[in-house]
Amino acid sequence: MLLRDVEYGDLDAYVRMRCDPAMMAELGGPLPREGMAAKVQRDVRRAAAGTDWTKMIVPDEAEPDVVAGTVALWPHDTDGERISEIGWMVLPEFQGRGLAKQAVRTVLGLARDDSRWGLIHAFPATTNGPSNGICRSLGFRFVGRQDVTFAGRVLVTNHWTIDPRTDLT
Ligand SMILES: CC(C)(COP(=O)(O)OP(=O)(O)OC[C@H]1O[C@@H](n2cnc3c(N)ncnc32)[C@H](O)[C@@H]1OP(=O)(O)O)[C@@H](O)C(=O)NCCC(=O)NCCS
């Protein structure tokens, strides 16, 4: 597996991840197709500027055009506080092979070597078994339940944090 920065050509993967009812079942339902080109452009711009990381998961180096999913790490303000948040997605045909866990661990390793991220937060839905499993097994600490507004919908989530400098397993 390798990770690479998001590119404009990843629009199709974005649509398959974010506009699909099964993929978005734990994230409040599918997002409208119309917003996806702007979303990719924003992510490419922010990756180039180095403010956000959006890493595409390429399962096989020999097939660089095949994308399995994505891991993103970005800063944002919540309740007046600046936090670093991580999120991930893996397409159905690539799920269950450990790819998400491996990719999240790799990004946390990169963050560990880059002092600006500090404590990293994750907010998987309380019902998202694999995502909560990833948090638990990589060394995240459970903070508590939290309602989170995502794309205009309120999700009931588990709030997890990790300091990759000390907690990454
Ligand atoms: C969540 C998601 C990224 C998992 O991707 P994946 O590549 O299949 O995950 P992995 O194969 O790395 O498995 C992760 C861990 O979850 C465990 N797991 C799988 N299903 C599980 C379940 N129902 N309950 C508990 N743990 C589960 C796996 O055993 C693995 O842990 P282990 O390595 O310690 O055994 C993928 O299902 C997805 O993209 N779903 C849709 C979008 C989404 O919900 N994104 C996350 C938002 S927080």
Side-chain angles (χ1 to χ4, degrees):
M1 181 215 69
L2 64 82
L3 298 177
R4 64 156 173 82
D5 285 340
V6 62
E7 298 166 355
Y8 294 118
D10 291 317
L11 176 59
D12 174 59
Y14 267 53
V15 171
R16 284 186 289 131
M17 288 190 280
R18 291 178 169 77
C19 306
D20 178 76
M23 281 296 289
M24 295 296 288
E26 298 286 1
L27 291 160
L31 298 176
R33 169 73 178 78
E34 304 79 72
M36 286 303 117
K39 167 75 175 148
V40 179
Q41 283 166 11
R42 199 162 56 239
D43 288 351
V44 169
R45 264 199 317 274
R46 290 180 180 173
T51 53
D52 298 9
W53 289 353
T54 301
K55 305 290 186 190
M56 307 306 290
I57 304 168
V58 175
D60 183 353
E61 294 177 30
E63 290 186 90
D65 294 338
V66 177
V67 165
T70 184
V71 182
L73 177 60
W74 71 101
H76 67 91
D77 293 324
T78 178
D79 299 329
E81 190 197 352
R82 174 137 290 214
I83 68 162
S84 300
E85 181 171 345
I86 191 166
W88 47 79
M89 302 185 98
V90 166
L91 287 161
E93 62 270 34
F94 296 101
Q95 290 175 7
R97 302 185 193 174
L99 271 177
K101 188 169 157 181
Q102 192 186 347
V104 173
R105 179 186 275 125
T106 302
V107 169
L108 291 172
L110 295 171
R112 177 185 53 208
D113 302 332
D114 182 338
S115 57
R116 75 185 136 134
W117 297 105
L119 197 64
I120 294 174
H121 300 248
F123 299 93
T126 54
T127 47
N128 192 330
S131 283
N132 285 292
I134 288 169
C135 290
R136 206 171 289 114
S137 65
L138 290 184
F140 283 78
R141 292 160 202 259
F142 179 66
V143 179
R145 292 204 169 198
Q146 189 167 321
D147 288 348
V148 167
T149 303
F150 172 74
R153 291 86 61 103
V154 177
L155 309 178
V156 181
T157 74
N158 286 331
H159 179 193
W160 297 87
T161 58
I162 187 167
D163 183 338
R165 291 162 299 189
T166 50
D167 302 339
L168 184 58
T169 56

